[in-house]
Amino acid sequence: MRAATSPITPLKYVVGIDIAKDTFVACFGHIDTSQHLSFGKETSFANTLAGFTALLVWTAKQQIGAAPQWFVVEARGVYYEELAYFLADNGQALSVLLPNKVKHFAQSTEQKSKTDQLDARLLCRLGLERALPAWQPPTPALRQLRVLSRERQNLTQQAVRLKAQRHAYQHSYQPDARTLDRLATRLQLLSQQLKAIGQDLAALLATEPKLARKLAYLTSVPGIGLTTAIVVVAETNGFGLMENERQLASYAGLDVVQRQSGLSAGATRISRRGNVRLRTALYLPAVSSLRFNPQQMAFYARLRARQPSGKPGVIAVMRKLLLLCHSLWKNDCAYDPHYHPAHCLEKEVAPTS
């Protein structure tokens, strides 16, 4: 007589979620004591409060034990935010992953096709195979900081384009006075709105002394002004999504990419696949620090001694400023120009474009 097989005991449940504007696809899976992965049928839900509630009911029906349950979602765009806050408010364990981390995991698998269902299963598998960090929702102050920061960036870009448009039209043949007046009125409105945003930011920092203090630590770095510090903190949610400096550099698109195969070796460059707002905000501070920060000037000079072009040096300074901001924020301290850490950036491959 054959002995009865013991029931499989799940060690962890994971719900992988691929989310879009109106709907999201969830895949429920578990890993058991024999390290075997099991996946259920993918199910779609509306990206609404009713859909979020239905998701919790659906996952509760899938469980057959008291193992811990995690939700895994990719931080792509803003469509995941309402679900993430809903799950956090309901005491659910949640991991919000940067797109580059998900992409690297996908490349390690044999999955070649890409659908919403397959992406949900991929996120589920990632959560089952890896120990992922728990997502900490940004504070209301950080959320408001990001809203105001992005609004100011957008209005500033509109103002720059409008000024160029007005300048070109002023120097055209017989410009119409009424058109010039309308362009001037629009510029004035943008100026007023930018001023209002500045007042809102000042009011926010006045009510958040801890946030204001930590931003002041970032502005203690020569070349980093308050506007840049706000963008850096706002776009990284207070560096909450990054586990280490390498992830932070990749998130900003300042990670180095090298192409080499056999005897063929292409020029190293940065990926440019990260947060363009963050990368743009760091360019002028990097250039400014090369005039006023002796440490950055010396760092740049050492890179120029090995590179014929100055652009890779500026990119390396941008990266170094970002990592320095991360260090000051995490350690809750001001910049010390006499502190000389190991020159880890200089040991890496410098980009050439």
Side-chain angles (χ1 to χ4, degrees), residues 13-16 26-30 38-40 58-59 62-63 69 124:
Y13 296 109
V14 171
V15 183
C27 177
F28 187 92
H30 72 265
S38 297
F39 302 97
W58 177 75
T59 56
Q62 309 295 316
Q63 299 183 28
Q69 176 176 273
C124 181

Side-chain angles (χ1 to χ4, degrees), residues 3 29 46 49 51 65 96 114 127 159 176 199-200 204 233 296 320 327:
L49 180 59
V96 178
K114 180 176 175 61
D176 184 88
Q199 294 171 347
D200 288 347
L204 173 64
V233 173
Q296 301 288 17
K320 195 170 185 181
S327 176

Side-chain angles (χ1 to χ4, degrees), residues 29-88:
H30 72 265
I31 183 171
D32 58 36
T33 51
S34 63
Q35 302 299 310
H36 177 72
L37 305 182
S38 297
F39 302 97
K41 182 177 176 59
E42 297 82 7
T43 305
S44 296
F45 299 89
N47 193 7
T48 61
L49 180 59
F52 305 158
T53 304
L55 172 68
L56 292 184
V57 174
W58 177 75
T59 56
K61 293 180 179 179
Q62 309 295 316
Q63 299 183 28
I64 57 175
Q69 176 176 273
W70 282 78
F71 291 83
V72 180
V73 64
E74 184 179 359
R76 187 178 295 278
V78 297
Y79 299 132
Y80 77 95
E81 291 184 354
E82 289 193 49
L83 174 59
Y85 281 102
F86 174 85
L87 293 174

Side-chain angles (χ1 to χ4, degrees), residues 16 46 74 102 108 126 204 215 225 257 280 283 333:
E74 184 179 359
V102 178
S108 69
L126 173 56
L204 173 64
L215 284 171
V257 176
T280 301
Y283 176 74
C333 63

Side-chain angles (χ1 to χ4, degrees), residues 57-180:
V57 174
W58 177 75
T59 56
K61 293 180 179 179
Q62 309 295 316
Q63 299 183 28
I64 57 175
Q69 176 176 273
W70 282 78
F71 291 83
V72 180
V73 64
E74 184 179 359
R76 187 178 295 278
V78 297
Y79 299 132
Y80 77 95
E81 291 184 354
E82 289 193 49
L83 174 59
Y85 281 102
F86 174 85
L87 293 174
D89 291 341
N90 283 271
Q92 300 296 320
L94 169 69
S95 290
V96 178
L97 305 180
L98 295 175
N100 59 342
K101 184 168 186 175
V102 178
K103 178 183 177 181
H104 292 158
F105 179 78
Q107 291 173 341
S108 69
T109 69
E110 297 179 356
Q111 179 175 310
K112 296 181 174 59
S113 300
K114 180 176 175 61
T115 66
D116 294 342
Q117 289 74 22
L118 289 175
D119 287 347
R121 177 167 293 208
L122 179 74
L123 290 170
C124 181
R125 177 179 172 182
L126 173 56
L128 292 172
E129 294 185 3
R130 306 287 176 85
L132 301 176
W135 180 66
Q136 298 296 328
T139 63
L142 283 177
R143 294 203 305 269
Q144 182 66 8
L145 191 73
R146 186 178 67 172
V147 169
L148 293 174
S149 172
R150 290 188 172 185
E151 185 181 6
R152 181 165 63 180
Q153 283 180 301
N154 292 335
L155 291 180
T156 300
Q157 292 171 359
Q158 292 179 37
V160 170
R161 289 193 296 265
L162 195 56
K163 286 179 181 179
Q165 182 181 350
R166 185 183 65 168
H167 179 270
Y169 187 66
Q170 279 178 327
H171 293 81
S172 65
Y173 177 68
Q174 293 182 348
D176 184 88
R178 291 170 299 181
T179 298
L180 289 174

Side-chain angles (χ1 to χ4, degrees), residues 295-308:
Q295 284 73 27
Q296 301 288 17
M297 293 166 63
F299 172 66
Y300 178 78
R302 289 192 293 271
L303 290 179
R304 281 303 306 271
R306 306 197 304 263
Q307 295 283 353

